[in-house]
Structures are given as C-alpha cells and as structure tokens.
C-alpha cells in the first residue's frame, strides 16, 4: 500500500464508529475540486508524504479496544495492489473497515466484498454517466461505474452514494439521471463543495459559477429524493 497520509482519530468519517483514517496515494480521476490534491498523482504538488504500512499496523495494535474502525480513503484506494491483504490484516485485528471509492475498479470491490472485508462503502458518483469525461480520460469504460453501483447495492454491506455538488458536474437533470442509476439506494449524500481548502485545480474555486447556494442545494435534493430512501445534504 502506498500510504500518503494518516489521521489517528475521527468521529465523523465512519458512521457510528470511532476510526482512524488511511489516505492512499494516487488517483485515476482528476476532479478539479478535489480536497486532497497532494494524494493525486500528477497534481502540481506531486506525491505527498509516504507512510510505512508497518507504522499503521503498530498504531492499530496499540489502539485495539480504543478505536473501532479504519477508514481507507484517498486518492483512490482500489488502485493499490496491496489493498486486499491490507484489509485482511486490519480485519483480523478486529477493526471495522470503511472504504471510500470512486467506483472505477469494480473487480477490486468485488474481491473485498467476496472476502467480507468491508463494513461500510462510500462510493462517489461524480456526475451523469455521459459526463464522466470531465474527470477521466475518454478511454475510461463507464460500465465500471455501473458495475460498482450494482455491486454496492447488492452486497448487503452498509453504504452510501455521494456527490460533491459543483457545476458543470451537477444540475437537477443530471441528478435525475443519477437517481435512475441508483434507484432504491439507501442513502445519498449531496456534499456542498468547500472553497476554503486547497484543491486540485486552484482556478476552479475562484469562479462563483461553479458553486451552489443553500437554496440551490435544496433544489438538487428534490431531484434525487424520489429515487432513494434518504438524502443527506452536508
Ligand atoms: S476527489 Fe477523489 S476521485 Fe476525484 S481526484 Fe480527488 S481523490 Fe480522485
């Protein structure tokens, strides 16, 4: 595992679970509003810090009984060759695991689910399926996103789908299309994009045009509400 960051304690990143956070290095998407630019290969800042995996295991050994879970986020964790053995070892230590993913590697997601290694999945849906070229290369196989959505919804593991709401990635019509894709889903999170952090494309946050007001976020919620059991605006 190529680990670019580690947070010892979080009460907000894993529902009902006190967790630490492992940030993996590298991503195959290029979201201009990305809040972890140092973890995305090719960003202007290049690779971030590197943590030895053993440091994480040492920490987890010491904290057994004190924290309950591990959030694995990124970057995109499913790009990591060592993800399955890493999760296996973490699980053997008795921790719950939450995976944050952009859904681009359904093959890896399937392996993790087959081995019952995940307790919670948070999958980002970036935009409508016909607009993914805004964040990935034209050669990206969009069927992968569809496969990951189907895997997440069938798995029996707790989950949420999540979209960071900015233009041109989201509007009510796009969310209506996404709603059809995830119809029947348990929970959909619409995240308002913060402008007060470093992002992958600093020019992106300079323009007001990309951002939604609270009132507009409510309208976006109404577009996805009919398709899912619960919508949360954060
Ligand atoms: S927001 Fe997530 S998927 Fe997009 S570039 Fe950043 S780490 Fe990758």
């Amino acid at each position: 595992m190529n680990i670019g960051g580690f947070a010892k304690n979080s009460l907000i990143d894993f529902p009902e679970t006190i967790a630490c956070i492992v940030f993996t290095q590298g991503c195959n998407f290029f979201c201009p509003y990305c809040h972890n630019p140092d973890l995305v290969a090719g960003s202007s800042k290049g690779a971030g810090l590197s943590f030895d995996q053993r440091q994480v295991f040492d920490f987890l050994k010491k904290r057994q009984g004190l924290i309950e879970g591990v959030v694995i986020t990124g970057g995109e964790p499913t790009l990591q060759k060592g993800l399955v053995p890493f999760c296996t070892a973490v699980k053997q230590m008795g921790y719950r695991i939450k995976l944050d993913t952009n859904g681009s590697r359904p093959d890896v997601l399937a392996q993790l689910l087959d081995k019952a290694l995940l307790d919670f999945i948070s999958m980002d849906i970036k935009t409508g399926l016909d607009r993914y070229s805004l964040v990935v290369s034209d050669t990206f196989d969009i069927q992968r996103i569809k496969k990951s959505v189907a895997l997440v919804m069938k798995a029996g593991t707790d989950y949420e789908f999540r979209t960071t709401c900015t233009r041109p990635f989201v509007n009510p019509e796009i969310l209506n299309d996404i709603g059809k894709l995830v119809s029947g889903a348990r929970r959909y999170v619409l995240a308002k994009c913060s402008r007060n952090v470093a992002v992958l494309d600093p020019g992106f946050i300079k323009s007001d045009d990309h951002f939604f007001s609270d009132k507009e976020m409510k309208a976006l919620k109404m577009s996805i509400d009919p398709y899912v059991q619960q919508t949360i605006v954060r």
Side-chain angles (χ1 to χ4, degrees):
M1 288 268 283
N2 190 352
I3 298 172
F6 181 64
K8 291 180 176 175
N9 242 316
S10 169
L11 301 176
I12 57 169
D13 290 278
F14 193 159
E16 294 164 26
T17 305
I18 302 167
C20 63
I21 309 176
V22 172
F23 296 86
T24 59
Q25 180 84 50
C27 188
N28 50 352
F29 284 15
F30 191 90
C31 311
Y33 51 79
C34 176
H35 287 15
N36 290 319
D38 291 352
L39 297 171
V40 179
S43 76
S44 55
K45 290 189 176 175
L49 296 170
S50 189
F51 282 76
D52 190 322
Q53 189 170 293
R54 282 172 301 190
Q55 288 175 269
V56 176
F57 286 127
D58 287 346
F59 173 85
L60 291 175
K61 269 180 209 148
K62 283 184 202 147
R63 295 298 169 101
Q64 275 172 318
L66 296 172
I67 60 171
E68 304 157 300
V70 179
V71 177
I72 306 175
T73 188
E76 173 48 36
T78 61
L79 298 178
Q80 300 294 325
K81 286 199 180 98
L83 181 64
V84 173
F86 180 82
C87 289
T88 303
V90 169
K91 203 76 187 149
Q92 280 168 354
M93 294 170 78
Y95 288 98
R96 305 179 75 232
I97 297 177
K98 172 175 178 266
L99 176 76
D100 293 348
T101 179
N102 62 21
S104 63
R105 298 288 308 275
D107 50 332
V108 177
L109 195 52
Q111 285 179 52
L112 294 164
L113 289 168
D114 283 350
K115 292 176 185 291
L117 294 172
L118 303 181
D119 298 280
F120 196 101
I121 305 163
S122 179
M123 179 178 156
D124 273 7
I125 298 181
K126 299 295 179 185
T127 182
L129 293 182
D130 56 344
R131 296 186 180 216
Y132 261 72
S133 58
L134 292 168
V135 289
V136 282
S137 70
D138 289 342
T139 55
F140 180 77
D141 178 7
I142 200 63
Q143 294 304 319
R144 294 189 193 189
I145 301 298
K146 278 185 165 179
K147 280 183 194 163
S148 291
V149 167
L151 280 169
V152 167
M153 289 183 67
K154 265 196 261 163
T157 302
D158 202 3
Y159 68 90
E160 66 188 20
F161 294 112
R162 183 180 173 280
T163 296
T164 300
C165 296
T166 59
R167 298 183 185 90
F169 303 96
V170 170
N171 62 34
E173 293 72 37
I174 292 170
L175 275 178
N176 193 55
D177 289 344
I178 294 174
K180 290 175 190 160
L181 176 70
V182 302
S183 185
R186 277 183 213 167
R187 189 180 309 126
Y188 209 100
V189 176
L190 296 177
K192 203 172 171 186
C193 188
S194 170
R195 301 176 75 170
N196 301 321
V197 290
V199 297
L200 197 52
D201 177 3
F204 187 82
I205 52 172
K206 287 186 184 149
S207 168
D208 291 340
D209 296 345
H210 295 302
F211 297 88
F212 292 103
S213 66
D214 289 345
K215 193 174 164 195
E216 288 169 327
M217 289 296 291
K218 278 186 192 160
L220 293 175
K221 179 179 182 299
M222 284 169 69
S223 297
I224 197 100
D225 266 346
Y227 297 101
V228 299
Q229 295 172 36
Q230 182 189 25
T231 313
I232 297 169
V233 176
R234 279 186 194 141

